[in-house]
Amino acid sequence: MMDETPADTAPPPGPSLAGWPALRRLLLTLAILCVVVGCGWAGFTVAERQGIATLRQESNHRLDLFSSAVEGVINRLEHVPATIQLNQDVLQLLRHPRNTGQRRVTSDYLRRLNAHLGSMSVFVLDDRGIVLASSNVDVPDDSRVGEDLSFRPYFLEALSGRVGRHFAIGVHGNEPGYFVSHPIRDGARVVGVATIKIGLHAIDKTWEMLSSQAVLADTNQVVIMSSQPEWRYTSLADLTLDRRVDLQLSRLYNNRRIDRFPLVVQLSVDEDSQVIEGVLPVGQPHHHRARNPEMLVLGRSLDGMDWRLMTFTDLRPTRRQAAVYGFMSAVAAAFVVLLALYLAQHRRILRQRHQAKRMLEEVNAALEQKVASRTQDLTDANDRLRKEVVERERAELTLRNAQGELVHTAKMAILGQLATGITHELTQPLGAIRTLSGNASEFLKRGDLNSLSGNLGIIARMADQMGNIIQPLKGFARKSLPVAVTTDIAHAVGNALFLYGPRMRKEEVDVDNRCVAGQLTAFCDPNRLEQVLINLVGNAIDAMGGGPPRTLTLQASALPDGVPPPHLPAAACPTGWVRVDVLDTGTGFAGGTADHLFEPFFTTKANGQGLGLGLVISRDIVREFHGEIEAADRPEGGARFTLYLPTGPVDPDHAA
């Protein structure tokens, strides 16, 4: 070209490598290598951090689900021991521990209770730690009658007036379980201990949801459950000699040898959130493997149980993916550098001749890169969306299961509150049967068959009466999935009033039941409708505790055709709607109380008399069947709760 300067007079003006000294070439080569290596390392570092962050987020979500499952298994039954002392047979046995007949009656009651709950065993100990009655007869375990359990921590804590909660292995059966104990008081004195053993088999079936190796450790930092069987009954920390002696005396692990956990776990624990996090370095010995991979350790402390759940996730797949991203970044950097050198050399030679062509090539390259980037972003977004849909479906399933457990727990709490009245209702027929059976025996000796036949007829009627008392309780306590069917409203109202019968008679509550059997029906689950009515009747009785007049009114009526309930569309239920009112003569709603009735944990009752969940659960049940519930003050005094229920299937396209 005409503007070039001869090589012997001046260096060339462009970035030509031909005229550079060897040192400059070496420095340029080293700079290129540094850029390529630096881009590769930066790509690896960024991808690794993002991969670990994603892995941590997914693991934390699975930990939350698993923790909820574990707490659900335990919390569902841990209130049972507190209700056992309400049974008079239990107190009579503790007062007369040598009464063999009383022991059989109490064991039979515990056996029925255990069969209903689905726990491993329920048993009662005296104040010396001796098992007096048990739901198990032939199964060798802590619950065996006559067993001395005075060394068990859960017995000692309950005997001192506290609630005992401990994991332990059965003394004879080697069957692990979670023991919850509660003191039994006769007046102000602790005379015995009620204990339930909750099985942990359901937890073993849920390890797969964690998708990684996991352990569950108790308050002694001993692994009690694990997805790896060889990790069970190992200690996450070194046990002191005193601690080992204590474990030997309490036999929590039934004399099993507690070895050291095969991995050295050094974790950080957030005191506020109880989140456990750490990383196991590469190279720790792991049984027969020479080297252990680097692992991400995450964990949770379970509420109220002093248990820790930890997962061990292999970081090798994440690092391999990060290495791929790093390699791609290095290749991209090398390509860019080489392309830059090529373009610089080519630009010096063909600056004027090929300038337009060079600009077009750069624009095309940038456009292709942008299209590829946008395509990759779209693909990644689609993948994330599919994952979110799957996770949301799982979360909805978990929410429905948790709601069902909450509904069943509320039913059990109501039955526990009504246990005393129901026991009184059964005591009178039982006493009459005992007297009549004695008379029948005497009539038989005398040969008075007519009187004998009369007594036996009365006994049969008493048995039918007791069956009529028990039958509604069995239906109400049954745990089942909600199924909408045509339900007689009067029948559901009658069952709700039956459960509160003893209490209403005791508190002199007048009942005006205007619901006629077979007159009005609703399309809903009858068991769930009974629970809603029980909650409303119980609240009405509580509201009328201040004094007379105490009048409870229940009435049902059909809404006119074409007239929808408030806040519900007219076309939602083609067959129409029915209205159920629960009226009381209590104090009504003071101030802005009515605006907060359906908020969780809001209650106007004294501390310890309510959790504020009854109306929330009732509203969710009614809305589940596409109905609605309202509350308002009555002009004449008191409160009114109104249920709006469909009389037939609801059209989902028009449902609210």
Side-chain angles (χ1 to χ4, degrees):
M1 298 180 64
M2 299 303 294
D3 57 347
E4 289 186 358
T5 304
D8 56 351
T9 59
S16 176
L17 298 179
W20 284 18
L23 180 59
R24 289 190 175 184
R25 295 177 186 174
L26 179 60
L27 293 176
L28 180 60
T29 302
L30 292 176
I32 293 174
L33 289 176
C34 290
V35 170
V36 172
V37 173
C39 290
W41 178 255
F44 171 81
T45 303
V46 172
E48 181 188 36
R49 291 177 180 175
Q50 292 178 349
I52 292 177
T54 302
L55 185 63
R56 182 182 291 108
Q57 183 179 4
E58 294 175 353
S59 298
N60 283 331
H61 180 67
R62 288 193 291 267
L63 276 171
D64 291 338
L65 293 179
F66 189 85
S67 299
S68 299
V70 174
E71 292 172 0
V73 170
I74 302 302
N75 294 340
R76 183 176 66 89
L77 299 176
E78 67 174 0
H79 69 280
V80 173
T83 65
I84 292 179
Q85 66 176 349
L86 299 177
N87 187 281
Q88 294 299 320
D89 290 330
V90 175
L91 289 177
Q92 288 298 327
L93 177 61
L94 292 172
R95 291 168 182 167
H96 308 286
R98 297 184 179 180
N99 189 329
T100 305
Q102 189 66 40
R103 181 174 298 181
R104 285 197 300 268
V105 171
T106 305
S107 295
D108 184 67
Y109 160 72
L110 296 178
R111 184 163 46 253
R112 295 196 308 273
L113 178 63
N114 185 64
H116 174 73
L117 296 174
S119 56
M120 295 186 69
S121 63
V122 182
F123 51 97
V124 175
L125 306 91
D126 62 11
D127 55 359
R128 296 178 300 151
I130 305 299
V131 179
L132 296 182
S134 171
S135 60
N136 291 335
V137 177
D138 301 324
V139 178
D141 204 349
D142 284 30
S143 56
R144 189 166 61 182
V145 174
E147 190 71 35
D148 185 357
L149 302 177
S150 58
F151 59 89
R152 285 297 201 187
Y154 60 79
F155 166 74
L156 297 175
E157 290 189 10
L159 190 63
S160 62
R162 302 188 300 271
V163 177
R165 297 181 177 90
H166 287 284
F167 167 86
I169 300 176
V171 174
H172 298 287
N174 286 326
E175 186 70 22
Y178 188 69
F179 291 84
V180 180
S181 61
H182 195 278
I184 300 177
R185 293 181 170 86
D186 189 358
R189 187 170 64 91
V190 176
V191 296
V193 173
T195 306
I196 184 172
K197 183 177 181 181
I198 304 173
L200 304 179
H201 299 290
I203 299 176
D204 279 330
K205 300 177 182 179
T206 57
W207 289 117
E208 294 182 358
M209 75 167 59
L210 293 176
S211 302
S212 60
Q213 298 172 334
V215 299
L216 193 62
D218 63 3
T219 186
N220 298 313
Q221 299 196 49
V222 173
V223 177
I224 57 176
M225 303 191 73
S226 174
S227 60
Q228 303 295 113
E230 64 271 15
W231 287 0
R232 294 191 178 186
Y233 305 117
T234 58
S235 176
L236 297 175
D238 292 329
L239 297 177
T240 63
L241 179 59
D242 292 341
R243 193 58 185 159
R244 288 185 179 274
V245 172
D246 291 340
L247 295 180
Q248 188 72 18
L249 293 176
S250 61
R251 297 175 62 184
L252 290 180
Y253 311 104
N254 203 14
N255 297 325
R256 288 180 179 265
R257 180 178 177 181
I258 307 301
D259 295 325
R260 187 67 166 82
F261 191 68
L263 304 177
V264 179
V265 183
Q266 295 179 351
L267 306 172
S268 61
V269 181
D270 189 331
E271 296 297 336
D272 294 330
S273 63
Q274 291 298 302
V275 174
I276 304 170
E277 186 170 338
V279 176
L280 295 185
V282 179
Q284 291 194 37
H286 183 205
H287 296 282
H288 302 294
R289 293 159 54 183
R291 294 174 65 84
N292 184 53
E294 187 171 7
M295 294 183 178
L296 175 65
V297 184
L298 295 174
R300 291 286 187 279
S301 292
L302 304 185
D303 292 338
M305 297 172 60
D306 292 332
W307 284 7
R308 287 186 176 181
L309 172 64
M310 291 188 292
T311 59
F312 299 80
T313 306
D314 192 351
L315 292 178
R316 287 182 296 182
T318 302
R319 296 194 186 280
R320 283 197 293 267
Q321 186 68 24
V324 171
Y325 280 111
F327 177 77
M328 293 175 62
S329 299
V331 170
F335 175 77
V336 172
V337 171
L338 292 177
L339 181 62
L341 292 175
Y342 170 77
L343 292 177
Q345 187 75 358
H346 196 63
R347 185 173 58 250
R348 191 191 66 82
I349 299 173
L350 303 173
R351 180 181 295 113
Q352 294 179 351
R353 183 177 176 180
H354 301 291
Q355 184 175 10
K357 182 179 179 180
R358 179 183 61 79
M359 293 178 62
L360 181 60
E361 290 176 349
E362 291 179 352
V363 170
N364 288 337
L367 181 59
E368 290 175 358
Q369 186 177 2
K370 183 177 293 185
V371 170
S373 176
R374 295 290 175 85
T375 302
Q376 183 63 38
D377 292 341
L378 182 59
T379 302
D380 295 340
N382 289 335
D383 292 339
R384 289 193 299 270
L385 182 59
R386 283 193 292 270
K387 293 179 181 178
E388 290 177 359
V389 170
V390 173
E391 292 297 331
R392 185 164 298 176
E393 291 175 350
R394 292 177 181 174
E396 290 177 355
L397 178 60
T398 303
L399 180 59
R400 287 195 295 272
N401 293 337
Q403 186 181 25
E405 291 294 337
L406 183 59
V407 170
H408 187 67
T409 301
K411 291 161 62 177
M412 294 300 99
I414 292 174
L415 287 180
Q417 295 173 1
L418 301 177
T420 302
I422 296 169
T423 301
H424 179 71
E425 291 292 317
L426 293 175
T427 301
Q428 293 179 348
L430 284 174
I433 289 175
R434 180 182 295 274
T435 302
L436 291 171
S437 62
N439 293 340
S441 177
E442 187 64 29
F443 288 143
L444 180 60
K445 293 178 181 179
R446 298 177 181 178
D448 188 352
L449 298 182
N450 291 330
S451 299
L452 174 62
S453 176
N455 274 22
L456 293 179
I458 297 174
I459 291 175
R461 289 196 299 274
M462 289 292 181
D464 292 338
Q465 179 183 350
M466 295 172 64
N468 293 333
I469 294 174
I470 296 174
Q471 190 62 34
L473 298 178
K474 292 171 59 179
F476 177 71
R478 184 182 301 113
K479 181 180 180 182
S480 59
L481 296 175
V483 178
V485 296
T486 300
T487 302
D488 188 344
I489 293 177
H491 181 72
V493 170
N495 286 345
L497 293 176
F498 168 78
L499 290 176
Y500 280 104
R503 180 181 173 188
M504 290 189 293
R505 289 192 294 270
K506 179 180 179 181
E507 298 184 12
E508 298 181 353
V509 176
D510 295 329
V511 179
D512 183 7
N513 183 9
R514 303 175 184 175
C515 300
V516 181
Q519 188 177 55
L520 294 174
T521 61
F523 192 73
C524 61
D525 182 86
N527 195 268
R528 296 291 177 91
L529 177 59
E530 288 180 16
Q531 182 175 356
V532 173
L533 293 171
I534 287 170
N535 287 337
L536 297 182
V537 170
N539 287 343
I541 296 174
D542 293 338
M544 294 186 294
R550 299 186 180 94
T551 302
L552 176 65
T553 304
L554 295 101
Q555 58 189 19
S557 60
L559 297 184
D561 294 339
V563 178
H567 314 298
L568 293 175
C573 182
T575 60
W577 300 84
V578 65
R579 167 177 174 167
V580 182
D581 291 307
V582 179
L583 313 173
D584 64 63
T585 57
T587 57
F589 306 119
T593 302
D595 298 333
H596 304 282
L597 285 177
F598 298 100
E599 295 179 0
F601 304 109
F602 176 81
T603 179
T604 58
K605 300 178 182 179
N607 291 336
Q609 296 184 5
L611 296 177
L613 293 177
L615 290 178
V616 177
I617 295 174
S618 300
R619 180 195 59 188
D620 292 343
I621 292 174
V622 173
R623 289 183 176 177
E624 187 175 357
F625 298 111
H626 306 288
E628 189 55 82
I629 182 172
E630 291 183 345
D633 283 311
R634 299 176 64 191
E636 60 270 36
R640 171 182 59 83
F641 282 89
T642 302
L643 303 178
Y644 295 99
L645 299 171
T647 59
V650 174
D651 185 359
D653 295 333
H654 296 88

